[in-house]
Amino acid sequence: MNKMPAAILSLCLLTGVATQAKKMVIVPPVKRVPVQKHPMIFPRIRTIYNLYRNTNQNFCAINWLDRPLLHDSSLYRLPPDERDIENNVRQLDMAASYSVSGLSMLYHGKIHFRRFEKLLEAAESNPHNNGRKIFISLLGHILRKGPKKAADEFEPVLKRIIASPAAARINGKVVIGSYRTDYISPKQLEQFIKIMRQRCGDKFYFVATIASLRGKRLKNYIYFSRAFEANHNKLPESEVEAAKEFLRGYLRVCDGLLMNGSNHVDSVNNQFQREFYEQFICRIFNAVLAEPGNRGKLLGLSASLGYINHIAGGTQLENGTRNLREALTAAYAANPDFIIMPEWNELNENTCLEPGVNRSFSTKRIIRYFVQKNKCKLSPLPGDDTGIPNLIVSLRAALRAGDNFYVELLNVPDSPDSQDYTVTCTLKDEKGKVVKKFAPVSFKSGELQEHRLTLGLQETASHRAIKPELKITTDDGKTIVIENGLPFTRLQSTWNRNYICLKQPIRDLAKLKHFKVGFVPQKANRIRFDIDAESDQDKLRSIEILENDTIVYAYDKSGELTHGK
């Protein structure tokens, strides 16, 4: 409800800027020599979330839309410090399996010092293992306390991380930043850094996070982006030059720049605004850093899969896996020294990169591909059946009447070799009736390739749910039929709060020997479910019954889950 007036106001203001401007320009690409040969990549972890706590209705009265796939409540029985460190070790190991450099952490102030220390202690248990490196950010409100008070609060953190072998380093120095730096002036930042160097030595780089880029009349990214859209990817030259000078002000007193919020670079229709990110933000940051006096300073950028805060109402749609892929493509193309990814496990904002029940290991497979491609070292995940294509199926969890239906089929390369295969997709409704059968689509396993299959509004109007079934034919004549286990889309006539996409790699489907469900009506409007499931390859942990998106019953062999709740 708050976005629309702001969007209308910005368009009115920007029209005035554009008509008065003497010269409209496209920001040209600039070739900057990065400090790092390969950018480090850090998903940002929120240590308030963990793998041992039941997140269903645990933190908030409104149900979250996804949950950690690798939940393990047995950790809760450990002593508190041991439990938290073991949880962090698992998170770091999990991140390492994505081929990322480690995890970034927001430091919320001295009341969270012990949380920071536990993450560092977990990383120090094996500091040379890839994926156990920590990049620390302090929150902007610490800087707002003034240079000396901010330094007093952050000094123990910086000294601790400088002493740690698990800290992320560039040229032998640890790298620190802030959630946002432009809360304060460049002069205040200069004073803060000076105090920290006096106390901690010249052993760190500080990068300034620009969360609200300012020009002459355009005062933040939203104003710039609306002007960019309204003027066909051009901006007033005076605004571009003013924005560069704004960046220079901070760069004169620190060691680099960071844009860490691509999940808020969105268009008026809630899509990731890739062209604005790529052609303006990345280019203007690169242009200033390429200037002679700034060579050798660091560039940090961002990439995310979206932002769907169903509680607060903010949305940047995932668009299948396209948002994540486009953000990573844009960030890598700009040759940054590091990439911060919001966020590893922010459940309430649905930015989660860690494996989730509704996204499985899809994000892991995509991030791993981008990191490995950058280093020219593609390889399949350990344990993968490479006889099955590395294909991810994505679709929306729920749609309202009038929303467009799509199913995205994405091939993710994991080998330098390439083989052809075709996929025939059949869509069925909740009764098993065929809604539409599409013509076969072709893939090359060595290419990152998407096919998006859509239905018109009339084709979905009479159905309550639509689910895909696949027939895959490889070039050696092998046929793979998948009739069960893929996600489905709920169709409803009115409002919707669930804007996430369900994503399922077909290599990660449960390998069930058999699965049968029976429904037996009972007295007092009750229903008995008879469920028979068995697997000789995968360990079955639990069975859940959901009403729309909400768990209404769960069963597991240990009896840990409370039945009927």
Side-chain angles (χ1 to χ4, degrees), residues 489-554:
T489 297
R490 280 191 301 108
L491 304 171
Q492 50 198 52
S493 59
T494 57
W495 63 275
N496 175 34
R497 72 182 183 93
N498 189 342
Y499 287 88
I500 69 168
C501 287
L502 309 180
K503 305 165 189 175
Q504 180 61 56
I506 64 172
R507 287 183 182 175
D508 296 322
L509 284 168
K511 301 172 180 64
L512 297 177
K513 192 173 182 180
H514 65 266
F515 182 76
K516 294 181 180 179
V517 179
F519 306 90
V520 182
Q522 304 288 295
K523 294 180 180 180
N525 295 322
R526 298 174 71 86
I527 298 175
R528 189 184 82 204
F529 288 82
D530 293 330
I531 302 173
D532 185 12
E534 182 182 357
S535 173
D536 53 8
Q537 297 185 56
D538 293 324
K539 184 178 179 181
L540 300 181
R541 295 174 55 191
S542 64
I543 293 174
E544 299 173 345
I545 298 173
L546 278 68
E547 182 179 9
N548 295 331
D549 306 315
T550 304
I551 301 171
V552 294
Y553 191 89

Coordinates of all heavy atoms in Angstrom, one line a residue, residues 489-554:
T489 N 0.9 -25.5 -8.8 CA 0.4 -24.2 -8.5 C -1.0 -24.2 -8.1 O -1.8 -24.9 -8.7 CB 0.5 -23.3 -9.8 OG1 1.9 -23.2 -10.1 CG2 0.0 -21.9 -9.5
R490 N -1.3 -23.6 -6.9 CA -2.7 -23.4 -6.5 C -3.3 -22.2 -7.2 O -2.7 -21.2 -7.3 CB -2.8 -23.2 -5.0 CG -2.7 -24.4 -4.1 CD -3.0 -24.1 -2.7 NE -2.1 -23.0 -2.1 CZ -2.5 -21.8 -1.8 NH1 -3.8 -21.4 -2.1 NH2 -1.7 -20.9 -1.3
L491 N -4.5 -22.3 -7.7 CA -5.2 -21.2 -8.3 C -6.4 -20.8 -7.4 O -7.2 -21.7 -7.0 CB -5.8 -21.7 -9.7 CG -4.7 -22.2 -10.6 CD1 -5.3 -22.8 -11.9 CD2 -3.7 -21.1 -11.0
Q492 N -6.5 -19.6 -7.1 CA -7.6 -19.1 -6.2 C -8.2 -17.8 -6.8 O -7.5 -17.1 -7.6 CB -7.0 -18.9 -4.8 CG -5.8 -18.0 -4.7 CD -5.1 -18.2 -3.4 OE1 -4.8 -19.3 -2.9 NE2 -4.8 -17.1 -2.7
S493 N -9.4 -17.6 -6.5 CA -10.2 -16.5 -7.1 C -9.9 -15.1 -6.6 O -10.1 -14.1 -7.3 CB -11.7 -16.8 -7.1 OG -12.1 -16.9 -5.7
T494 N -9.4 -15.1 -5.3 CA -9.3 -13.7 -4.7 C -7.9 -13.4 -4.3 O -6.9 -13.7 -5.1 CB -10.2 -13.6 -3.5 OG1 -9.9 -14.7 -2.6 CG2 -11.7 -13.7 -3.9
W495 N -7.7 -12.9 -3.1 CA -6.3 -12.4 -2.7 C -5.3 -13.5 -2.5 O -5.7 -14.7 -2.4 CB -6.5 -11.6 -1.4 CG -6.9 -12.5 -0.3 CD1 -8.2 -12.8 0.1 CD2 -6.1 -13.2 0.7 NE1 -8.3 -13.6 1.2 CE2 -7.0 -13.9 1.6 CE3 -4.7 -13.3 0.9 CZ2 -6.5 -14.6 2.6 CZ3 -4.3 -14.0 1.9 CH2 -5.1 -14.7 2.8
N496 N -4.1 -13.1 -2.5 CA -3.0 -14.1 -2.4 C -1.8 -13.4 -1.6 O -1.5 -12.3 -1.9 CB -2.5 -14.5 -3.8 CG -1.2 -15.4 -3.7 OD1 -1.1 -16.2 -2.8 ND2 -0.3 -15.3 -4.7
R497 N -1.3 -14.1 -0.7 CA -0.1 -13.6 0.0 C 1.2 -14.4 -0.3 O 2.2 -14.0 0.2 CB -0.3 -13.6 1.6 CG -0.3 -15.0 2.2 CD -0.6 -15.0 3.6 NE -0.5 -16.3 4.2 CZ 0.6 -16.8 4.8 NH1 1.7 -16.1 4.8 NH2 0.7 -18.1 5.2
N498 N 1.0 -15.4 -1.1 CA 2.2 -16.3 -1.3 C 2.7 -16.1 -2.7 O 2.1 -16.5 -3.7 CB 1.8 -17.8 -1.2 CG 3.0 -18.7 -1.2 OD1 4.0 -18.3 -1.7 ND2 2.8 -19.9 -0.7
Y499 N 3.8 -15.3 -2.8 CA 4.3 -15.0 -4.1 C 5.6 -15.7 -4.4 O 6.3 -15.4 -5.4 CB 4.6 -13.4 -4.2 CG 3.3 -12.6 -4.3 CD1 2.6 -12.2 -3.2 CD2 2.8 -12.3 -5.6 CE1 1.4 -11.5 -3.3 CE2 1.6 -11.6 -5.7 CZ 0.9 -11.2 -4.6 OH -0.2 -10.5 -4.7
I500 N 6.0 -16.7 -3.6 CA 7.2 -17.4 -3.9 C 7.1 -18.4 -5.0 O 6.0 -18.7 -5.4 CB 7.8 -18.1 -2.6 CG1 6.8 -19.3 -2.3 CG2 7.9 -17.2 -1.4 CD1 7.4 -20.3 -1.2
C501 N 8.2 -18.8 -5.5 CA 8.2 -19.9 -6.5 C 8.7 -21.2 -5.9 O 9.6 -21.2 -5.1 CB 9.2 -19.5 -7.7 SG 8.5 -18.2 -8.8
L502 N 8.0 -22.2 -6.3 CA 8.4 -23.6 -5.9 C 9.4 -24.1 -6.9 O 9.2 -24.0 -8.1 CB 7.2 -24.5 -5.8 CG 6.0 -24.0 -5.0 CD1 4.9 -25.0 -5.0 CD2 6.5 -23.7 -3.6
K503 N 10.5 -24.7 -6.5 CA 11.6 -25.1 -7.4 C 12.1 -26.5 -7.0 O 12.4 -26.7 -5.8 CB 12.8 -24.1 -7.3 CG 12.3 -22.6 -7.6 CD 13.4 -21.6 -7.1 CE 12.8 -20.2 -7.2 NZ 13.8 -19.2 -6.7
Q504 N 12.2 -27.3 -8.0 CA 12.6 -28.7 -7.7 C 13.6 -29.2 -8.8 O 13.2 -29.4 -9.9 CB 11.4 -29.6 -7.7 CG 11.7 -31.1 -7.4 CD 12.3 -31.2 -6.1 OE1 11.8 -30.8 -5.0 NE2 13.5 -31.8 -6.0
P505 N 14.8 -29.4 -8.4 CA 15.8 -30.1 -9.3 C 15.3 -31.6 -9.4 O 15.0 -32.2 -8.4 CB 17.1 -30.0 -8.6 CG 17.0 -28.9 -7.6 CD 15.5 -28.9 -7.2
I506 N 15.3 -32.1 -10.6 CA 14.7 -33.5 -10.8 C 15.7 -34.5 -10.2 O 15.3 -35.6 -9.8 CB 14.4 -33.8 -12.2 CG1 15.6 -33.8 -13.1 CG2 13.3 -32.8 -12.7 CD1 15.3 -34.3 -14.5
R507 N 17.0 -34.1 -10.1 CA 18.0 -35.1 -9.5 C 17.8 -35.2 -8.0 O 18.3 -36.1 -7.4 CB 19.4 -34.6 -9.8 CG 19.9 -34.8 -11.2 CD 21.3 -34.4 -11.3 NE 21.8 -34.5 -12.7 CZ 23.0 -34.1 -13.1 NH1 23.9 -33.5 -12.2 NH2 23.4 -34.2 -14.3
D508 N 17.1 -34.2 -7.4 CA 16.8 -34.3 -5.9 C 15.5 -34.8 -5.5 O 15.1 -34.7 -4.4 CB 17.0 -32.8 -5.4 CG 18.4 -32.3 -5.5 OD1 19.4 -33.1 -5.4 OD2 18.6 -31.1 -5.8
L509 N 14.7 -35.3 -6.5 CA 13.4 -35.9 -6.2 C 13.6 -37.1 -5.3 O 14.6 -37.9 -5.5 CB 12.7 -36.3 -7.4 CG 12.0 -35.2 -8.2 CD1 11.6 -35.7 -9.6 CD2 10.8 -34.6 -7.5
A510 N 12.7 -37.3 -4.3 CA 12.7 -38.5 -3.5 C 12.6 -39.8 -4.3 O 11.8 -39.8 -5.2 CB 11.6 -38.5 -2.5
K511 N 13.4 -40.7 -4.0 CA 13.4 -42.0 -4.8 C 12.6 -43.0 -4.0 O 13.0 -43.8 -3.2 CB 14.9 -42.5 -5.0 CG 15.8 -41.5 -5.7 CD 17.2 -41.9 -5.7 CE 18.1 -40.9 -6.5 NZ 18.1 -39.6 -5.8
L512 N 11.3 -43.0 -4.3 CA 10.3 -43.8 -3.6 C 10.1 -45.1 -4.3 O 9.9 -45.2 -5.5 CB 9.0 -43.0 -3.4 CG 9.0 -41.7 -2.6 CD1 7.7 -41.0 -2.7 CD2 9.5 -42.0 -1.2
K513 N 10.0 -46.1 -3.5 CA 9.7 -47.5 -4.0 C 8.2 -47.5 -4.3 O 7.8 -48.0 -5.4 CB 10.0 -48.5 -3.0 CG 10.0 -49.9 -3.5 CD 10.5 -50.9 -2.4 CE 10.5 -52.3 -2.9 NZ 11.0 -53.2 -1.8
H514 N 7.4 -46.9 -3.4 CA 6.0 -46.7 -3.7 C 5.4 -45.6 -2.8 O 6.0 -45.4 -1.7 CB 5.2 -48.0 -3.6 CG 5.1 -48.6 -2.2 ND1 6.0 -49.5 -1.8 CD2 4.3 -48.3 -1.2 CE1 5.7 -49.8 -0.5 NE2 4.7 -49.1 -0.1
F515 N 4.3 -45.0 -3.2 CA 3.7 -44.0 -2.4 C 2.2 -44.0 -2.8 O 1.8 -43.8 -3.9 CB 4.3 -42.6 -2.7 CG 3.7 -41.5 -1.9 CD1 4.0 -41.3 -0.6 CD2 2.8 -40.6 -2.5 CE1 3.5 -40.3 0.2 CE2 2.2 -39.6 -1.7 CZ 2.6 -39.4 -0.4
K516 N 1.3 -44.2 -1.8 CA -0.1 -44.3 -2.0 C -0.8 -43.5 -0.9 O -0.4 -43.5 0.2 CB -0.6 -45.7 -2.0 CG -0.1 -46.6 -3.2 CD -0.7 -48.0 -3.2 CE -0.2 -48.8 -4.3 NZ -0.7 -50.2 -4.3
V517 N -1.8 -42.8 -1.3 CA -2.6 -42.0 -0.4 C -4.1 -42.3 -0.6 O -4.6 -42.3 -1.7 CB -2.4 -40.5 -0.6 CG1 -3.3 -39.7 0.5 CG2 -1.0 -40.1 -0.4
G518 N -4.8 -42.7 0.5 CA -6.2 -42.9 0.5 C -6.9 -42.0 1.4 O -6.4 -41.6 2.5
F519 N -8.2 -41.7 1.1 CA -9.0 -40.8 1.9 C -10.3 -41.5 2.3 O -11.0 -42.0 1.4 CB -9.4 -39.5 1.1 CG -8.2 -38.8 0.5 CD1 -7.8 -39.1 -0.8 CD2 -7.6 -37.8 1.2 CE1 -6.7 -38.4 -1.3 CE2 -6.5 -37.1 0.7 CZ -6.1 -37.4 -0.6
V520 N -10.5 -41.6 3.6 CA -11.7 -42.3 4.1 C -12.5 -41.3 4.9 O -12.1 -40.9 6.0 CB -11.3 -43.5 4.9 CG1 -12.6 -44.3 5.4 CG2 -10.4 -44.4 4.2
P521 N -13.8 -41.0 4.5 CA -14.6 -40.1 5.3 C -14.9 -40.7 6.6 O -15.2 -41.9 6.7 CB -15.9 -39.9 4.4 CG -15.4 -40.3 3.0 CD -14.4 -41.3 3.2
Q522 N -14.9 -39.8 7.7 CA -15.3 -40.2 9.0 C -16.5 -39.4 9.5 O -17.0 -38.5 8.8 CB -14.1 -40.0 9.9 CG -12.8 -40.7 9.5 CD -12.9 -42.2 9.6 OE1 -12.9 -42.7 10.7 NE2 -12.8 -43.0 8.5
K523 N -16.9 -39.7 10.7 CA -18.0 -38.9 11.3 C -17.5 -37.5 11.7 O -16.3 -37.3 11.8 CB -18.5 -39.7 12.5 CG -19.2 -41.0 12.2 CD -19.7 -41.6 13.5 CE -20.4 -43.0 13.1 NZ -20.9 -43.7 14.4
A524 N -18.5 -36.6 11.9 CA -18.2 -35.3 12.3 C -17.3 -34.5 11.4 O -16.4 -33.8 11.8 CB -17.6 -35.3 13.7
N525 N -17.5 -34.7 10.1 CA -16.8 -34.0 9.0 C -15.3 -34.2 9.1 O -14.5 -33.3 8.8 CB -17.1 -32.5 9.1 CG -18.5 -32.2 8.8 OD1 -19.1 -32.8 7.9 ND2 -19.1 -31.3 9.5
R526 N -14.9 -35.4 9.6 CA -13.4 -35.7 9.7 C -13.0 -36.6 8.5 O -13.9 -37.3 7.9 CB -13.1 -36.3 11.0 CG -13.4 -35.4 12.2 CD -13.1 -36.1 13.5 NE -11.7 -36.4 13.8 CZ -10.9 -35.5 14.3 NH1 -11.3 -34.3 14.7 NH2 -9.6 -35.8 14.5
I527 N -11.8 -36.6 8.2 CA -11.2 -37.5 7.1 C -10.0 -38.2 7.6 O -9.2 -37.7 8.3 CB -10.8 -36.6 5.9 CG1 -12.0 -35.9 5.3 CG2 -10.2 -37.5 4.8 CD1 -11.6 -34.9 4.2
R528 N -10.0 -39.5 7.3 CA -8.9 -40.4 7.7 C -8.0 -40.5 6.4 O -8.5 -40.8 5.4 CB -9.3 -41.7 8.1 CG -8.1 -42.6 8.7 CD -8.6 -44.0 9.1 NE -8.6 -44.8 7.9 CZ -9.4 -45.9 7.8 NH1 -10.2 -46.2 8.8 NH2 -9.3 -46.7 6.7
F529 N -6.7 -40.2 6.6 CA -5.7 -40.4 5.6 C -5.0 -41.7 5.8 O -4.4 -42.0 6.8 CB -4.7 -39.3 5.6 CG -5.2 -37.9 5.1 CD1 -6.0 -37.1 6.0 CD2 -5.0 -37.5 3.8 CE1 -6.5 -35.9 5.6 CE2 -5.5 -36.3 3.4 CZ -6.2 -35.5 4.3
D530 N -5.0 -42.6 4.7 CA -4.2 -43.8 4.8 C -3.0 -43.5 3.8 O -3.2 -43.4 2.6 CB -5.0 -45.0 4.3 CG -6.1 -45.3 5.3 OD1 -5.9 -45.1 6.5 OD2 -7.2 -45.8 4.8
I531 N -1.8 -43.5 4.4 CA -0.6 -43.1 3.6 C 0.4 -44.3 3.7 O 0.7 -44.7 4.8 CB 0.1 -41.8 4.1 CG1 -1.0 -40.7 4.0 CG2 1.3 -41.5 3.3 CD1 -0.5 -39.4 4.6
D532 N 0.8 -44.8 2.6 CA 1.8 -45.9 2.5 C 3.0 -45.4 1.7 O 2.8 -45.2 0.4 CB 1.1 -47.1 1.9 CG 2.1 -48.3 1.9 OD1 3.1 -48.2 2.6 OD2 1.7 -49.3 1.2
A533 N 4.1 -45.2 2.3 CA 5.3 -44.7 1.6 C 6.5 -45.5 2.0 O 6.7 -45.8 3.2 CB 5.5 -43.2 1.9
E534 N 7.3 -45.8 1.0 CA 8.5 -46.6 1.3 C 9.6 -46.2 0.3 O 9.3 -45.9 -0.9 CB 8.3 -48.1 1.2 CG 9.5 -49.0 1.5 CD 9.2 -50.4 1.3 OE1 8.0 -50.8 1.0 OE2 10.1 -51.2 1.5
S535 N 10.8 -46.1 0.8 CA 12.0 -45.9 -0.1 C 13.1 -46.8 0.3 O 13.4 -47.0 1.5 CB 12.4 -44.4 0.0 OG 13.6 -44.2 -0.7
D536 N 13.8 -47.4 -0.7 CA 14.9 -48.2 -0.4 C 16.3 -47.4 -0.6 O 17.3 -48.0 -0.5 CB 14.9 -49.5 -1.2 CG 14.7 -49.3 -2.7 OD1 14.8 -48.1 -3.1 OD2 14.6 -50.3 -3.4
Q537 N 16.1 -46.1 -1.0 CA 17.3 -45.3 -1.2 C 17.4 -44.1 -0.3 O 18.5 -43.7 0.1 CB 17.4 -44.9 -2.7 CG 17.5 -46.0 -3.7 CD 17.6 -45.5 -5.1 OE1 18.6 -44.8 -5.4 NE2 16.7 -46.0 -6.0
D538 N 16.3 -43.4 -0.1 CA 16.3 -42.2 0.8 C 15.6 -42.5 2.1 O 14.7 -43.3 2.2 CB 15.5 -41.1 0.1 CG 16.1 -40.6 -1.2 OD1 17.4 -40.6 -1.2 OD2 15.4 -40.3 -2.2
K539 N 16.1 -41.9 3.2 CA 15.6 -42.1 4.5 C 14.4 -41.1 4.6 O 14.5 -39.9 4.5 CB 16.6 -41.8 5.5 CG 16.2 -42.0 7.0 CD 17.3 -41.7 8.0 CE 16.8 -41.9 9.4 NZ 17.9 -41.6 10.4
L540 N 13.2 -41.7 4.9 CA 12.0 -40.9 5.0 C 12.0 -40.3 6.5 O 12.0 -41.1 7.4 CB 10.8 -41.7 4.7 CG 10.7 -42.3 3.3 CD1 9.4 -43.0 3.1 CD2 10.8 -41.2 2.3
R541 N 11.9 -39.0 6.6 CA 11.9 -38.4 7.9 C 10.6 -38.1 8.5 O 10.3 -38.3 9.7 CB 12.7 -37.1 7.9 CG 14.2 -37.3 7.6 CD 14.9 -35.9 7.4 NE 14.7 -35.1 8.5 CZ 15.0 -33.8 8.6 NH1 15.5 -33.2 7.5 NH2 14.8 -33.0 9.6
S542 N 9.7 -37.6 7.7 CA 8.3 -37.3 8.1 C 7.3 -37.2 7.0 O 7.7 -37.1 5.8 CB 8.4 -35.9 8.9 OG 8.7 -34.9 8.0
I543 N 6.1 -37.2 7.3 CA 5.0 -37.0 6.4 C 4.1 -35.8 6.9 O 3.8 -35.8 8.1 CB 4.1 -38.3 6.2 CG1 4.9 -39.4 5.5 CG2 2.9 -38.0 5.4 CD1 4.2 -40.7 5.5
E544 N 3.8 -34.9 6.0 CA 3.1 -33.7 6.4 C 1.8 -33.6 5.5 O 1.9 -33.9 4.4 CB 3.9 -32.4 6.3 CG 5.2 -32.5 7.2 CD 6.1 -31.3 6.9 OE1 5.9 -30.6 5.9 OE2 7.0 -31.0 7.7
I545 N 0.8 -33.1 6.1 CA -0.5 -32.8 5.4 C -0.6 -31.3 5.5 O -0.6 -30.7 6.6 CB -1.7 -33.6 6.0 CG1 -1.5 -35.1 5.9 CG2 -3.0 -33.1 5.3 CD1 -2.5 -35.9 6.6
L546 N -0.8 -30.7 4.3 CA -0.9 -29.2 4.2 C -2.3 -28.8 3.8 O -2.9 -29.5 2.9 CB 0.1 -28.6 3.3 CG 1.5 -28.4 3.8 CD1 2.3 -29.7 4.1 CD2 2.4 -27.6 2.9
E547 N -2.8 -27.8 4.4 CA -4.0 -27.2 3.9 C -3.6 -25.8 3.3 O -3.2 -24.9 4.0 CB -5.0 -26.9 5.0 CG -6.3 -26.3 4.5 CD -7.3 -26.1 5.6 OE1 -7.0 -26.3 6.8 OE2 -8.5 -25.7 5.3
N548 N -3.7 -25.8 1.9 CA -3.0 -24.6 1.2 C -1.5 -24.6 1.6 O -0.8 -25.6 1.3 CB -3.7 -23.3 1.5 CG -5.2 -23.3 1.0 OD1 -5.5 -24.0 0.0 ND2 -6.0 -22.6 1.6
D549 N -1.0 -23.6 2.2 CA 0.4 -23.5 2.6 C 0.7 -23.9 4.0 O 1.8 -23.9 4.4 CB 0.9 -22.1 2.3 CG 0.6 -21.6 0.9 OD1 0.8 -22.4 0.0 OD2 0.2 -20.5 0.8
T550 N -0.3 -24.3 4.8 CA -0.2 -24.5 6.2 C -0.2 -25.9 6.6 O -1.1 -26.7 6.2 CB -1.3 -23.7 7.0 OG1 -1.3 -22.4 6.6 CG2 -1.1 -23.9 8.5
I551 N 0.8 -26.4 7.4 CA 0.8 -27.7 7.9 C -0.3 -27.9 8.9 O -0.4 -27.2 9.9 CB 2.2 -28.0 8.6 CG1 3.3 -27.8 7.6 CG2 2.2 -29.5 9.1 CD1 4.7 -27.9 8.2
V552 N -1.1 -28.9 8.7 CA -2.2 -29.2 9.6 C -2.0 -30.5 10.4 O -2.7 -30.8 11.4 CB -3.6 -29.2 8.9 CG1 -3.9 -27.8 8.4 CG2 -3.6 -30.2 7.8
Y553 N -1.1 -31.3 9.9 CA -0.8 -32.6 10.5 C 0.6 -33.1 10.1 O 0.9 -32.9 8.9 CB -1.9 -33.7 10.2 CG -1.8 -34.9 11.0 CD1 -2.5 -35.0 12.2 CD2 -1.0 -36.0 10.6 CE1 -2.4 -36.2 13.0 CE2 -0.9 -37.1 11.4 CZ -1.6 -37.2 12.6 OH -1.5 -38.3 13.4
A554 N 1.3 -33.7 11.0 CA 2.6 -34.2 10.7 C 2.9 -35.5 11.5 O 2.4 -35.6 12.6 CB 3.7 -33.1 11.0

